[in-house]
Amino acid sequence: MEPQNNGKFCPGSSRLNQLCNTRPCPYNAVDFRAQQCAEYNSKPFRGWYYKWKPYTKVDDEDICKLYCIAEDFDFFFAMSSKVKDGTACSDHKGDVCIDGVCEVHWLYGSTVLHKYYSMVIVPAGARSIRVQEMEVSTSYLAVRSLKRKYYLTGDWTVDWPGKFHFGGTIFDYQRSFNKPESLYAAGPTNETLVFEILLQGKNPGVVWEYTLPRTERKPDYSWGVVRSDCSAPCAGGRISTKAICLQDQKVQVNSTMCNPHTRPTLGSHLCNTQPCPAYWATGDWGPCSRSCGGGQQTRTLRCLRKVTYQREEVVAHSLCPVISPAQVQPCHTQACLPEWSTGSWSQCSKTCGRGLRKRSVFCRSTDPGAKAVVVPDSMCRQHHKPKAQETCVLRRCPKNERLQWNPTPWGECSKSCGSGIQKRELRCGERDSQGGYVEFPIRRCRNMAKPLVDLQQGCNRGPCPEIPQVVSGRSTSTAVVLDWYSSPWQQCSVSCGGGVQTRSIQCLRQGRPTAGCLSHQRPVTSRACNTHFCPAAPPAPAQRPGRVTAVGPTLKDDHCVDHFSWCHLVPQHGVCNHKFYGQQCCKSCSNKRP
């Protein structure tokens, strides 16, 4: 946000830094700068992995860049444009890198001395050097060399006033409680000196002056060459060279001091071109030989040797180390789950047409190498259980020419009086010339046309009683409020072959038993049921399969009577030889016999 009302931005940095964890690290602790270099050990550098350690033999302006040198190699590289904040600039206590710039911090007793500030750099050969604060303050003057060697008020120690011999001359350092601090030397100096102020509180302002002889020789700046070690111990590495700027062929200085047009053109050349020692190379593990119960998986094993930077070759196994990696290992060692097992199918139950075949199904263990053990069925997955039986057809049965649709006898009238209906059904069966009859499932006749016969007809069991009519509050006849009432039919006595169902009949008046109901209207108390023939019995040598012979009683029997009103229809349909019809309609069947 811009300052308002003609205001200005506050001077100085907008960020405040504070030292933390200032206690010394343990003796064997890893240096903070070394930790930052080690972070690149796991990252490839131009396709190779190296172990990096700090490299600090650089210019003062680059001291807060992260330079790292490859261990066992003679080349270094700037891994980052600046180290992490708090990294020490040098071995001097208190000077740390903040945002890529070396800052000096100092702890003096319990008072924090804020910072060293450089004021002026006085070159070698200077004379009549005078540096003085403009007013009394709590700050201190300090002097150091370009290599950060302090001669006055350095190394976190405030020197007492007096005379100090450094830089090839004697400096007179004066400080009192009521006069500004000052420093004077007649000179000449024999090295470049950096004058600083260790600022505490308000800046008092500092003035300085010095003189230089006109005959002073300018330093000579020239290019030098630094050669690195080979980048690889075998299979072809490279040796690179770097140009550095030297002052008077002795001291490395900033590269801008040298003439860029005379900078030498450098390159690199191969080194250590001998092949590397052979090593074992393993392929991926193959699939397991079993899904459970303990299997094996294998992998390929090759002996390789690196001959160039980008090429490897396969060599004899004898050139590789004696101890080789495993080529086989166990896998899927967990126990196998039980599985369903089946026996052989039995023969089909029929030689023609649709039949059944069966087999045994059981649960057994499947661990390899172990004898099969039958276990409870609950240990196997029930929804995967195989079928224990299934339909089978060996061949189609020959066509039966005697099969035909046969109507059943008419059923009972639907009304006990008045007009009703009675029904009958068509059944599939076989009849022979001797009166025998065998009934089959309806599907056996599904391809045959049904005969055009009525399956329903009208019936009348006599007139119903008149309904009384009420005229002028009185009835014209005796009110008929009585009638026959029947219970539900009981269960059939047999499931096939003809049985009997019974029910009870009562004459009721207003729900109470009484007499007076018309006898000819009384409903029947029994009826035939499940009159379909039972399945055919297996063939016997002495008679035709499924043949039913006459079993009804003769006229000589004492109890040869008809039990149903429809018995006169049984001989007409030729079913007297049926066991049920022959016994229940004995009289009608006996009268029709020759």
Side-chain angles (χ1 to χ4, degrees):
M1 179 182 293
E2 293 288 339
Q4 303 296 317
N5 303 319
N6 298 322
K8 297 182 180 180
F9 285 106
C10 295
S13 174
S14 61
R15 189 173 70 167
L16 179 63
N17 299 301
Q18 181 179 357
L19 290 178
C20 58
N21 294 336
T22 57
R23 63 183 182 278
C25 294
Y27 172 74
N28 57 349
V30 180
D31 178 69
F32 189 35
R33 190 183 291 262
Q35 292 180 18
Q36 297 175 55
C37 284
E39 292 177 359
Y40 292 90
N41 291 350
S42 60
K43 300 177 182 179
F45 179 76
R46 296 176 180 174
W48 293 84
Y49 291 90
Y50 300 94
K51 287 187 177 181
W52 299 95
K53 58 184 181 180
Y55 182 78
T56 55
K57 297 178 182 180
V58 297
D59 299 340
D60 289 347
E61 62 190 42
D62 295 334
I63 195 66
C64 285
K65 295 181 180 178
L66 184 61
Y67 276 92
C68 302
I69 186 171
E71 190 173 340
D72 298 329
F73 298 94
D74 192 19
F75 66 92
F76 58 91
F77 193 79
M79 295 299 188
S80 177
S81 61
K82 55 185 177 182
V83 294
K84 294 181 181 179
D85 289 351
T87 304
C89 302
S90 64
D91 294 336
H92 298 291
K93 299 180 180 179
D95 54 347
V96 294
C97 293
I98 304 295
D99 198 22
V101 179
C102 184
E103 306 283 0
V104 180
H105 294 260
W106 185 37
L107 295 176
Y108 181 74
S110 61
T111 304
V112 178
L113 302 185
H114 288 193
K115 195 172 182 182
Y116 280 94
Y117 286 93
S118 297
M119 299 180 297
V120 61
I121 299 177
V122 178
R127 298 174 183 268
S128 301
I129 304 168
R130 182 182 301 277
V131 179
Q132 182 176 336
E133 290 181 341
M134 297 181 66
E135 60 185 47
V136 177
S137 73
T138 56
S139 300
Y140 301 92
L141 297 177
V143 185
R144 65 173 176 85
S145 67
L146 290 176
K147 293 185 178 180
R148 294 190 173 274
K149 179 181 178 182
Y150 278 86
Y151 299 122
L152 179 67
T153 310
D155 201 18
W156 290 269
T157 302
V158 178
D159 290 319
W160 293 99
K163 297 186 183 296
F164 295 84
H165 189 279
F166 57 85
T169 186
I170 297 174
F171 282 82
D172 183 17
Y173 176 44
Q174 294 184 6
R175 182 179 74 239
S176 66
F177 68 95
N178 58 358
K179 291 183 179 181
E181 192 171 309
S182 65
L183 192 62
Y184 175 80
T189 58
N190 60 2
E191 66 174 323
T192 301
L193 298 176
V194 180
F195 288 80
E196 297 180 340
I197 183 171
L198 184 56
L199 188 62
Q200 266 195 152
K202 184 179 179 181
N203 182 7
V206 180
V207 295
W208 63 86
E209 62 180 10
Y210 63 92
T211 61
L212 287 174
R214 294 187 178 182
T215 58
E216 183 179 7
R217 184 181 65 85
K218 291 184 178 181
D220 177 52
Y221 299 103
S222 61
W223 293 103
V225 176
V226 178
R227 178 179 177 274
S228 70
D229 291 336
C230 190
S231 61
C234 57
R238 302 200 73 85
I239 293 177
S240 59
T241 53
K242 176 185 177 182
I244 61 174
C245 183
L246 298 176
Q247 178 181 327
D248 298 328
Q249 295 292 325
K250 295 178 181 179
V251 182
Q252 181 178 349
V253 295
N254 195 300
S255 299
T256 58
M257 304 296 292
C258 289
N259 186 355
H261 300 291
T262 61
R263 184 167 187 160
T265 301
L266 304 175
S268 61
H269 61 274
L270 286 173
C271 56
N272 293 340
T273 56
Q274 74 280 2
C276 292
Y279 67 95
W280 292 108
T282 58
D284 294 333
W285 287 107
C288 192
S289 60
R290 296 182 185 274
S291 60
C292 60
Q296 287 186 337
Q297 56 184 167
T298 60
R299 63 179 177 181
T300 58
L301 195 62
R302 296 186 301 163
C303 183
L304 299 180
R305 181 174 63 181
K306 189 173 183 179
V307 293
T308 65
Y309 175 71
Q310 294 181 329
R311 187 171 69 87
E312 292 180 330
E313 65 180 5
V314 179
V315 295
H317 285 196
S318 59
L319 297 179
C320 274
V322 176
I323 301 176
S324 61
Q327 285 187 272
V328 181
Q329 71 174 8
C331 55
H332 293 168
T333 56
Q334 75 277 9
C336 295
L337 296 175
E339 293 181 356
W340 292 107
S341 185
T342 59
S344 301
W345 286 108
S346 66
Q347 290 185 349
C348 194
S349 61
K350 293 187 177 181
T351 57
C352 70
R354 188 185 302 273
L356 284 177
R357 63 173 186 172
K358 301 181 180 180
R359 65 179 177 182
S360 59
V361 178
F362 53 92
C363 182
R364 68 176 181 87
S365 63
T366 57
D367 283 332
K371 186 176 180 181
V373 178
V374 178
V375 296
D377 287 359
S378 59
M379 297 181 67
C380 284
R381 291 176 289 184
Q382 297 300 315
H383 59 283
H384 287 173
K385 185 174 182 180
K387 295 189 297 184
Q389 69 177 28
E390 66 179 9
T391 58
C392 55
V393 178
L394 297 181
R395 61 184 180 87
R396 296 186 64 180
C397 293
K399 187 175 181 181
N400 190 344
E401 300 292 343
R402 290 189 296 273
L403 282 177
Q404 60 182 345
W405 291 102
N406 296 295
T408 61
W410 288 105
E412 208 174 331
C413 191
S414 62
K415 297 284 185 70
S416 60
C417 67
S419 299
I421 60 172
Q422 56 183 169
K423 300 179 181 180
R424 62 179 176 179
E425 297 177 351
L426 288 177
R427 301 282 177 85
C428 180
E430 176 187 342
R431 189 187 308 278
D432 59 17
S433 58
Q434 299 178 2
Y437 181 82
V438 179
E439 185 174 336
F440 292 101
I442 293 178
R443 67 173 182 274
R444 294 285 298 274
C445 295
R446 62 180 179 272
N447 294 326
M448 298 175 58
K450 293 182 179 180
L452 299 175
V453 296
D454 293 332
L455 299 180
Q456 179 175 310
Q457 68 179 8
C459 58
N460 194 316
R461 299 189 63 182
C464 294
E466 294 182 0
I467 300 175
Q469 298 179 357
V470 179
V471 180
S472 300
R474 60 186 182 89
S475 59
T476 58
S477 63
T478 303
V480 180
V481 292
L482 72 162
D483 199 359
W484 294 105
Y485 292 91
S486 59
S487 68
W489 289 106
Q490 300 295 318
Q491 187 174 359
C492 191
S493 59
V494 293
S495 60
C496 64
V500 178
Q501 278 181 300
T502 61
R503 63 180 176 181
S504 61
I505 305 295
Q506 285 184 305
C507 181
L508 301 178
R509 182 194 301 270
Q510 295 182 348
R512 296 181 180 181
T514 186
C517 293
L518 300 178
S519 58
H520 70 276
Q521 295 180 350
R522 189 178 192 274
V524 295
T525 58
S526 63
R527 69 178 181 182
C529 57
N530 292 342
T531 56
H532 58 278
F533 288 94
C534 294
Q543 63 181 12
R544 174 182 175 84
R547 178 179 177 184
V548 179
T549 56
V551 294
T554 63
L555 287 172
K556 296 179 181 180
D557 293 333
D558 296 334
H559 302 287
C560 186
V561 295
D562 288 342
H563 293 280
F564 298 99
S565 59
W566 41 260
C567 281
H568 65 281
L569 300 173
V570 172
Q572 298 177 18
H573 291 282
V575 291
C576 283
N577 289 335
H578 190 281
K579 178 180 178 181
F580 171 76
Y581 296 116
Q583 292 178 349
Q584 300 298 322
C585 300
C586 175
K587 183 177 179 180
S588 296
C589 288
S590 297
N591 293 336
K592 295 297 179 180
R593 288 199 180 95

